[in-house]
Amino acid sequence: MKSFFLFFIAVTLAIPTIATAINIDGVADAAYGSAISTQQIGTVAGDNNYGNQGIANGSELDAAYGFISNGWLYLVMAGNFNSLATADGGTAPNDYLNIFFMTGPGGDHTLGTNYTATFNGRINNMGVGANNTDPSAPGLKFDTAFTPNHWIGVNVGYDEALDATNTMFVDYQMVCSNCPSAFFGSATSTNLPPNNVLLVTGHGSLDGILVSLNNTNLNGVTGTSCHTNAAGAAQSVAAAAVTTGVELAIPLSAFGNPTGKVSICSFITDKYFQTMYNQVLGPVWDGTVGYCQSFLAGGNPAYVDFSALPGQHYFSITVPPCDVIAVNPTGASYTSTGGVGSVTAANVGGCLITVTTNADWLSVTSSSGLGTGNGSFTYKVATNSTIYTRVGQLIITDIGTTLTATSIVTVTQTGLPAPPLGVITVDGTAESTYGCPITVQQLATGFGNSTSGNLSNALGGSELDAAYGIVQNNILFLTFAGNIEGNGNRLDIFLQTGPGGQNALTNANPNINNLNRMGTGVNPGLKFGAGFAPNYVIMINDFQGTLYSDYAQLWPGGTNGVGVATNGYYLGYTTPTNGTLQAGTNPFGLQIAVNESNTNGVNGFGTCNTNTYAVGFGPGDVRTGVELAIPLGAIGSPTGAIAVCAFVNGTGQDFLSNQVLPPIGTNVPAVQVCQGNLGEPTVVNLSNQVAASFLVGPEPRITSISKSGNDVILKYQTEVDTNMTYQVQRSSVLTTNTTWTNIPGIQPGGNVVITFTDANGATNRPARFYRVRQTPLCP
């Protein structure tokens, strides 16, 4: 079977990214500048003395830092937030940081009732009637000019009796009765910032909000008496020096793209919203040195009236003019023939907008009105004469302020249809397109020899006879020839696609299909051969004719935003020879199938030293077994060769067989060795393999084409398989029925780049198109 890859003109794009202005790690970086608001009175909620990233035994609100840039509100509420339910520890989170935002009209000047409040409805305790517990409660009233329409609440839980970690919880409420609310989620800290960042997803326009905690502050306001009496300025100076606390990054789109300014009132209550401390920003303060204020309204927030207290109890952050550019549409797609399109762009301040592109095939053809900040422009997409999809950007930039705003329109264009490739159907059989086996078993199986010939349910044993592999169309195809017994025996396939994997398995991976059973613990954990440190694992078992499969990315790559290994899925199940998985989570669209009909290959362990097979019936002749199609995106989108190690394991990942590929022992069949089953995986060291892994790919591709005098110089990447051969073909036309002419000279593969010269190919004649034919040539 032959396959081809084709080249006309390849364009590689360097696409810039628009990064957030600062790190979201619970620290007010230098970009924030000076504090906007500082505390003037000491805290009645206890003075923290832990100095821990997550754990605090007191609460204070020292200072507020914030600014708005490129459509994002960055905010740090500096201080500490008590994570202990009691003074000596406990099992429930304690104090709550309340942040109310006024971003436009609407909202409630006096907190009402019927807030949907995902956190047990407790925010209603601060409203009219105190959540139906006190009919006379007037409800918390804000300053006269402050009418909030959004609320975010943050608290921290810690169980001193159980461990030394903490969990940050974040809630949201639109401030109006029966309006939307959300539990944004939680983030667990490991005491090492910034691992406790919570990224909000799944909440529509609120998506993208980031929240982080740093509870290490030991300074700021004191917790003794009234706090400023002796030296009035000293208290505020200490508070202004605190730069750690709760940090948020909020896209303005989450709050309806406000203009002008965003105003904020923040204070601390207990977790039930029934006690309000004196920690408010802007502070409760009459401007005198000796001012003292304890609990507000005796501690009951439903009776607090900020408008009757001294000082202004909110602060404001200005939205820079022209800071947000609204574009429509934000993306477009085109076929290889190209085309034209138009975009409207506008900003509030009427500042000058310019448009540039990052691709030579994407050009701006006209514009109207952009000099006043509101207008449109048209663009042209050139013909794509390659087979490759390409992506470019129209970059719309506001140059009217010192904080430059940028919006992006992404343009995607498909390429010409590729020439036919060798056909691979995921059905449990290695078609001829695979070519020869990459690695062949040398040991008789210690898990029993299946001789039933049953297509869907191997009876009597499991064996790994050979492995086949190839990369086509950004898909890794693998076939493990042999049998997986239908008693739940497992085939574990580990893949190394880049740096940072695990040479010895840990027990910190997503515990999918009992994966962590093979990791570190009482024993050292399964250790692979030298140089093999896999990043991914796919686990398969055949139980009574149904194939089940799981997937995991190994830590640290497979983690969420807080450093927890979670990137693991039950992919689903399927019936033999049908590669479609169902009833699982399969975001990358893997296909897996099995054909258990093999009765040849290696013998049972009783004939371990017998290496005699009838011609055509040895392990290298078996082509049926477990077959997989793995999109490269599922394994980190590697561009080089992929290293693979696979083995048969017990039903509970608890007993490793001697069926490993690459095989254990000698690589000289005439001197085959005996090796029993390896047993307990956590004490197995696979360094005695002939090779630590076998290699598949990379996908063949033409890497460059150039002109040298009258010659065309073509360079192309080959697969690692030395049994693949390559031949360049050319044509002067490209249609669905193109005739290709072979250029003499067949080259072997081997993961090398081959240079080919087409003599006089660049002379004055019709355009030439090139492709390379890949053909298996087994010994």
Side-chain angles (χ1 to χ4, degrees):
M1 182 68 68
K2 304 177 180 65
S3 60
F4 304 91
F5 51 100
L6 180 67
F7 183 85
F8 306 96
I9 300 173
V11 178
T12 302
L13 299 176
I15 301 175
T17 58
I18 307 302
T20 57
I22 54 175
N23 293 324
I24 307 304
D25 55 6
V27 180
D29 302 326
Y32 281 94
S34 302
I36 300 173
S37 179
T38 58
Q39 189 58 258
Q40 302 296 324
I41 56 178
T43 176
V44 297
D47 198 11
N48 177 54
N49 59 14
Y50 264 64
N52 185 282
Q53 163 75 10
I55 305 165
N57 62 347
S59 293
E60 61 191 66
L61 201 50
D62 291 302
Y65 301 82
F67 68 99
I68 294 173
S69 176
N70 205 13
W72 284 77
L73 166 63
Y74 298 96
L75 181 67
V76 173
M77 304 307 301
N80 297 100
F81 311 98
N82 193 337
S83 62
L84 304 180
T86 63
D88 59 351
T91 59
N94 197 354
D95 292 341
Y96 231 93
L97 172 65
N98 295 264
I99 310 173
F100 285 88
F101 300 85
M102 184 173 71
T103 61
D108 288 346
H109 174 254
T110 299
L111 290 187
T113 60
N114 299 323
Y115 298 124
T116 53
T118 57
F119 193 75
N120 299 328
R122 294 175 184 169
I123 189 176
N124 290 306
N125 291 346
M126 298 190 293
V128 175
N131 204 14
N132 299 318
T133 63
D134 182 358
S136 63
L140 187 153
K141 183 181 294 185
F142 293 96
D143 285 355
T144 302
F146 188 77
T147 305
N149 41 23
H150 300 275
W151 168 84
I152 291 178
V154 181
N155 73 333
V156 189
Y158 167 65
D159 188 343
E160 192 173 45
L162 295 179
D163 54 39
T165 62
N166 71 291
T167 301
M168 174 181 67
F169 303 87
V170 184
D171 297 276
Y172 165 83
Q173 173 72 56
M174 182 177 286
V175 185
C176 48
S177 293
N178 298 309
C179 288
S181 68
F183 172 55
F184 279 166
S186 60
T188 302
S189 171
T190 61
N191 298 336
L192 295 174
N195 292 336
N196 63 340
V197 177
L198 172 67
L199 170 62
V200 176
T201 60
H203 297 291
S205 64
L206 300 168
D207 284 359
I209 293 176
L210 293 165
V211 189
S212 184
L213 168 73
N214 186 318
N215 234 350
T216 58
N217 166 55
L218 296 176
N219 300 308
V221 299
T222 62
T224 60
S225 68
C226 200
H227 343 305
T228 64
N229 301 355
Q235 183 85 347
S236 60
V237 170
V242 180
T243 59
T244 58
V246 169
E247 183 173 22
L248 304 97
I250 304 171
L252 292 185
S253 58
F255 288 167
N257 289 314
T259 60
K261 63 183 178 181
V262 174
S263 297
I264 297 164
C265 174
S266 184
F267 52 83
I268 300 175
T269 67
D270 73 324
K271 67 174 181 178
Y272 299 109
F273 302 96
Q274 293 175 334
T275 301
M276 181 183 289
Y277 306 115
N278 63 350
Q279 296 295 284
V280 182
L281 285 179
V284 178
W285 185 44
D286 67 0
T288 65
V289 172
Y291 179 80
C292 194
Q293 174 67 56
S294 187
F295 292 96
L296 302 184
N300 190 338
Y303 282 84
V304 169
D305 181 355
F306 280 122
S307 64
L309 294 170
Q312 177 176 298
H313 311 104
Y314 66 91
F315 55 90
S316 299
I317 302 174
T318 300
V319 180
C322 315
D323 188 66
V324 178
I325 303 174
V327 296
N328 184 39
T330 58
S333 299
Y334 292 85
T335 65
S336 61
T337 56
V340 297
S342 62
V343 174
T344 60
N347 62 35
V348 175
C351 296
L352 176 66
I353 297 176
T354 62
V355 185
T356 57
T357 75
N358 68 345
D360 57 5
W361 50 271
L362 193 57
S363 58
V364 177
T365 53
S366 66
S367 65
S368 174
L370 296 183
T372 61
N374 296 280
S376 63
F377 63 89
T378 60
Y379 63 91
K380 180 180 180 180
V381 180
T383 300
N384 184 0
S385 59
T386 79
I387 63 172
Y388 306 108
T389 296
R390 57 190 183 184
V391 179
Q393 292 179 328
L394 296 160
I395 305 166
I396 302 95
T397 305
D398 154 32
I399 59 173
T401 65
T402 56
L403 293 173
T404 301
T406 301
S407 288
I408 298 294
V409 176
T410 301
V411 179
T412 303
Q413 184 184 30
T414 57
L416 292 166
L421 291 167
V423 176
I424 295 180
T425 302
V426 182
D427 57 4
T429 301
E431 294 91 341
S432 58
T433 304
Y434 282 96
C436 321
I438 298 173
T439 184
V440 176
Q441 186 59 257
Q442 303 296 319
L443 298 175
T445 175
F447 261 39
N449 191 25
S450 176
T451 58
S452 65
N454 189 315
L455 178 68
S456 62
N457 189 5
L459 303 175
S462 298
E463 62 190 65
L464 283 184
D465 292 302
Y468 301 80
I470 194 172
V471 179
Q472 284 189 357
N473 293 331
N474 288 314
I475 297 173
L476 169 64
F477 292 94
L478 292 171
T479 296
F480 292 92
N483 303 93
I484 306 299
E485 189 172 4
N487 64 351
N489 280 174
R490 303 187 185 277
L491 171 61
D492 295 328
I493 306 164
F494 289 86
L495 305 104
Q496 179 180 343
T497 63
Q502 296 177 7
N503 180 251
L505 287 183
T506 74
N507 59 6
N509 295 307
N511 197 27
I512 304 298
N513 197 353
N514 217 17
L515 172 62
N516 286 335
R517 169 65 180 73
M518 296 186 286
T520 54
V522 176
N523 296 319
L526 174 66
K527 185 175 179 60
F528 295 97
F532 182 67
N535 317 88
Y536 299 87
V537 62
I538 296 172
M539 298 164 283
I540 298 166
N541 69 291
D542 183 359
F543 186 71
Q544 297 180 354
T546 301
L547 195 72
Y548 300 89
S549 184
D550 302 88
Y551 158 100
Q553 184 177 3
L554 304 182
W555 188 92
T559 62
N560 60 16
V562 297
V564 178
T566 58
N567 194 8
Y569 313 104
Y570 164 59
L571 293 174
Y573 72 88
T574 186
T575 55
T577 74
N578 180 359
T580 302
L581 297 169
Q582 55 185 311
T585 301
N586 189 7
F588 299 103
L590 277 74
Q591 290 184 292
I592 305 175
V594 65
N595 182 327
E596 301 282 22
S597 62
N598 165 57
T599 57
N600 299 312
V602 299
N603 300 311
F605 191 65
T607 56
C608 177
N609 288 313
T610 303
N611 193 32
T612 57
Y613 306 98
V615 175
F617 294 93
D621 301 302
V622 181
R623 302 186 77 93
T624 58
V626 175
E627 186 174 20
L628 306 91
I630 308 169
L632 295 186
I635 52 176
S637 300
T639 57
I642 300 163
V644 184
C645 177
F647 48 77
V648 175
N649 206 340
T651 58
Q653 304 285 32
D654 54 0
F655 194 83
L656 206 60
S657 76
N658 67 346
Q659 294 296 282
V660 183
L661 287 177
I664 300 169
T666 178
N667 198 29
V668 183
V671 195
Q672 183 177 4
V673 298
C674 259
Q675 170 64 60
N677 293 321
L678 300 176
E680 171 57 54
T682 57
V683 296
V684 170
N685 186 337
L686 292 175
S687 60
N688 62 340
Q689 288 173 274
V690 174
S693 59
F694 63 88
L695 300 177
V696 184
E699 183 164 13
R701 62 188 182 276
I702 293 177
T703 59
S704 69
I705 187 170
S706 60
K707 176 177 175 291
S708 177
N710 290 329
D711 301 333
V712 172
I713 311 299
L714 188 73
K715 293 184 178 182
Y716 58 92
Q717 168 74 55
T718 67
E719 290 217 33
V720 72
D721 191 344
T722 57
N723 294 321
M724 293 291 184
T725 63
Y726 299 86
Q727 183 170 30
V728 178
Q729 298 179 317
R730 69 184 171 203
S731 178
S732 58
V733 295
L734 187 65
T735 68
T736 55
N737 298 310
T738 295
T739 299
W740 295 92
T741 301
N742 290 332
I743 300 177
I746 297 177
Q747 299 289 336
N751 194 22
V752 296
V753 174
I754 295 175
T755 300
F756 169 81
T757 300
D758 184 14
N760 296 318
T763 55
N764 186 18
R765 61 181 67 184
R768 288 192 172 187
F769 302 99
Y770 295 88
R771 72 178 186 180
V772 179
R773 181 182 68 181
Q774 174 182 274
T775 306
L777 182 63
C778 296

